[in-house]
Amino acid sequence: MSSLTLFDDPPVEATPAPPSPTPAVVSPERLEAFRAAPHKSLSYGLGLDSTALLLAILDDPVSFGIAEDFSDFSVVTGLTGFEFPDTIADVQEHVLPRLRAKGIRYAQVARAGHLEEAGVQVLSDTTNPTKVFNRGQWTLMDELEANGTVPQYSGGHKCSLKFKAFPNDRFQMEQAGGQTVGKLFGYNADESKRAAEANRHQARRDKKAGRQTFALDYPLIRLGLGRQGVQGYVKERLGIAMSKSYCPVCPFSGVCSPQPDHLKRLRKYPDLAARVLRLEYVSMALNDNSSLYKDDTLHRRISADCNTEALGRFEARLDEEEWAVYRLQRAYTAGRRPECRDAHGDRCSAPECRDSRFKGTVYRSVKTVRTGSRAEAGAFLHNAATALDRPVEQSTSAHGAGISRVRTRIRPDSKTYGSVEDFYVIAPAGVRDKARDGFASVWTSMTGDGSAPAPGKES
């Protein structure tokens, strides 16, 4: 199967439709808007789908609405800073030489800091790329470790929006100088829902900007090319079964890659596995329900896979790192009754409209009480338990490595809202002190005071 046959660009009306097509995704109007844009780019995520699209563009740019000499085209990668090394190696060895041969502009960008105000770091912007960078100055794992949490399963693709889309889009908008950028995505024909959501997001952005900032196109969807077809095409063109691109900390790893393949990859990179295990441990120390997977832990899966190398390196990290005693306070406010929403609309603060059976907003505060070695943190917690006349809970039911806590306020029922919890827990240090806006006033209103018994001076 040649690339010209596979990626020939017939009129949109004659293009094979993807399963359960979304008309707004593949409309002729969207395609026309993309082709009219003076600047065009491919959001290159280093993975199979976007690689397939890039290879096809290199063969026949004109059929994709790109100038034959690529003068209006660039490739941009927004770096999360946490990729598997084999993904980087495959792109570096098999894709970058093709970009160099065609003289195509390739930019690699990353977030410059936690806040968007920090801007974007440009690690490379060249027509002679020789290296795929593995991180910028602020990465996804930097953020997760500072927050003490794993990516939220219910959050969808927020990580991607923050660490790929933001630097990618900010860079291109600055380069375009106010002109519309035509942006290609490598979503395959099995991902029309993702494309539809991207279109909705773009519509909101354009409305806010008062103009069309990006014109989006999804050639693989227009061509009806699904995941299986993409895999075959890339293997035929590159001669390798290209490694898949996704973060080792992704809660959707069973979707991005079959779980046996993911576990096999973690065997190949035990240090990466140990770092994710460490993050999951801290996350679950602060919240029992905050495991990497929706109904399971990475620790259990790696244990079941008998990956002793990763487990050993994880335990070694726990012993070697500095630890902290954290104080966690959470206020679980009661939510609104369904009838209140019908009667009072989007907002209502009337106490009589709240019901403890429904979840409202959760307000969290985390503070580092003190730091030291693992043994020192453990000793401090036991001394605090004695001073507070509270037991030390040493639980292995949620996490196999065991988590030690001292609770000063206990929720009577996890399904009842309008309640609070307050506890001290030990875990590796590094989580920044942080409280949700409004926490102090909510805590005071729900407890009658602004604090709880303290085991020692907080710093």
Side-chain angles (χ1 to χ4, degrees):
M1 181 184 295
S2 73
S3 61
L4 291 177
T5 301
L6 182 60
F7 287 94
D8 189 30
D9 192 26
V12 171
E13 294 79 12
T15 301
S20 304
T22 304
V25 172
V26 296
S27 68
E29 292 78 16
R30 291 189 182 280
L31 179 57
E32 182 179 353
F34 168 81
R35 297 200 170 196
H39 307 277
K40 301 176 181 70
S41 71
L42 169 65
S43 293
Y44 185 47
L46 308 179
L48 276 165
D49 296 325
S50 53
T51 295
L53 180 53
L54 177 57
L55 293 173
I57 291 170
L58 296 183
D59 281 350
D60 187 8
V62 175
S63 71
F64 292 90
I66 294 167
E68 188 171 7
D69 62 357
F70 300 101
S71 57
D72 61 352
F73 178 66
S74 61
V75 178
V76 185
T77 296
L79 299 170
T80 67
F82 200 48
E83 284 279 355
F84 280 103
D86 49 8
T87 293
I88 292 176
D90 284 348
V91 173
Q92 202 160 272
E93 181 177 352
H94 297 281
V95 177
L96 294 194
R98 289 168 165 80
L99 294 180
R100 293 196 296 270
K102 298 285 186 177
I104 292 175
R105 182 183 181 186
Y106 179 43
Q108 299 176 71
V109 295
R111 290 184 73 97
H114 168 59
L115 300 176
E116 289 189 357
E117 288 79 357
V120 172
Q121 179 189 17
V122 181
L123 291 99
S124 175
D125 183 7
T126 178
T127 57
N128 187 38
T130 58
K131 176 182 178 180
V132 177
F133 287 80
N134 60 6
R135 61 163 295 151
Q137 59 195 37
W138 184 254
T139 72
L140 171 61
M141 280 298 280
D142 292 336
E143 178 123 326
L144 294 172
E145 288 169 341
N147 288 337
T149 184
V150 294
Q152 300 303 299
Y153 189 88
S154 60
H157 297 279
K158 288 183 179 179
C159 291
S160 180
L161 290 174
K162 191 167 187 177
F163 285 88
K164 290 186 176 183
F166 167 73
N168 188 317
D169 293 355
R170 175 69 67 87
F171 172 78
Q172 291 186 71
M173 290 178 71
E174 291 175 353
Q175 297 293 308
Q179 295 181 302
T180 300
V181 177
K183 189 188 328 187
L184 293 168
F185 283 98
Y187 296 157
N188 67 56
D190 304 322
E191 299 179 302
S192 58
K193 289 183 179 179
R194 289 188 67 188
E197 177 55 35
N199 285 340
R200 288 191 290 269
H201 175 73
Q202 186 58 45
R204 293 190 293 269
R205 168 188 286 178
D206 289 346
K207 183 178 180 180
K208 183 177 180 180
R211 67 179 183 88
Q212 186 175 37
T213 53
F214 292 93
L216 312 185
D217 186 30
Y218 313 94
L220 300 183
I221 292 179
R222 288 193 289 104
L223 295 162
L225 191 69
R227 186 64 157 179
Q228 187 173 357
V230 165
Q231 289 175 326
Y233 175 70
V234 171
K235 186 172 184 179
E236 179 182 326
R237 294 298 311 281
L238 299 184
I240 62 167
M242 188 175 181
S243 302
K244 295 180 180 179
S245 172
Y246 62 94
C247 294
V249 74
C250 183
F252 302 102
S253 57
V255 177
C256 300
S257 177
Q259 192 62 209
D261 291 349
H262 178 58
L263 291 171
K264 182 178 179 180
R265 215 170 184 187
L266 293 180
R267 282 178 168 274
K268 185 177 180 181
Y269 300 108
D271 282 331
L272 284 184
R275 188 176 181 187
V276 181
L277 284 168
R278 185 256 190 209
L279 176 68
E280 182 184 58
Y281 179 82
V282 173
S283 178
M284 294 187 69
L286 305 185
N287 183 349
D288 262 346
N289 298 317
S290 191
S291 56
L292 181 59
Y293 301 115
K294 188 176 181 180
D295 299 310
D296 200 3
T297 67
L298 177 65
H299 187 272
R300 191 206 64 78
R301 293 187 182 187
I302 286 183
S303 298
D305 190 48
C306 299
N307 188 347
T308 55
E309 184 69 21
L311 292 171
R313 297 192 187 191
F314 163 61
E315 290 291 347
R317 290 193 65 152
L318 295 188
D319 288 334
E320 295 164 1
E321 289 191 22
E322 182 179 53
W323 277 55
V325 179
Y326 297 106
R327 182 185 181 185
L328 265 292
Q329 296 168 285
R330 285 190 185 86
Y332 300 83
T333 64
R336 295 169 61 191
R337 300 175 186 272
E339 55 268 28
C340 169
R341 298 184 182 277
D342 296 335
H344 303 153
D346 292 338
R347 293 182 178 276
C348 177
S349 58
E352 60 270 20
C353 289
R354 302 283 164 170
D355 191 315
S356 61
R357 295 173 298 171
F358 301 103
K359 182 179 180 180
T361 302
V362 179
Y363 292 83
R364 185 187 91 156
S365 168
V366 57
K367 292 181 180 178
T368 299
V369 176
R370 67 166 296 165
T371 57
S373 69
R374 186 177 189 177
E376 289 169 340
F380 183 89
L381 189 71
H382 279 79
N383 292 338
T386 301
L388 295 169
D389 194 23
R390 305 278 184 171
V392 176
E393 298 178 12
Q394 295 177 316
S395 171
T396 57
S397 58
H399 194 288
I403 294 170
S404 299
R405 296 187 183 92
V406 174
R407 299 184 186 272
T408 59
R409 283 189 171 94
I410 302 173
R411 291 182 72 195
D413 180 0
S414 63
K415 299 297 183 182
T416 299
Y417 302 96
S419 59
V420 302
E421 67 176 347
D422 190 352
F423 63 86
Y424 296 87
V425 64
I426 58 172
V431 179
R432 65 185 174 196
D433 289 3
K434 185 178 180 180
R436 184 169 187 152
D437 290 345
F439 167 80
S441 61
V442 171
W443 182 266
T444 300
S445 69
M446 292 180 68
T447 63
D449 61 46
S451 62
K457 183 178 179 181
E458 294 185 359
S459 59

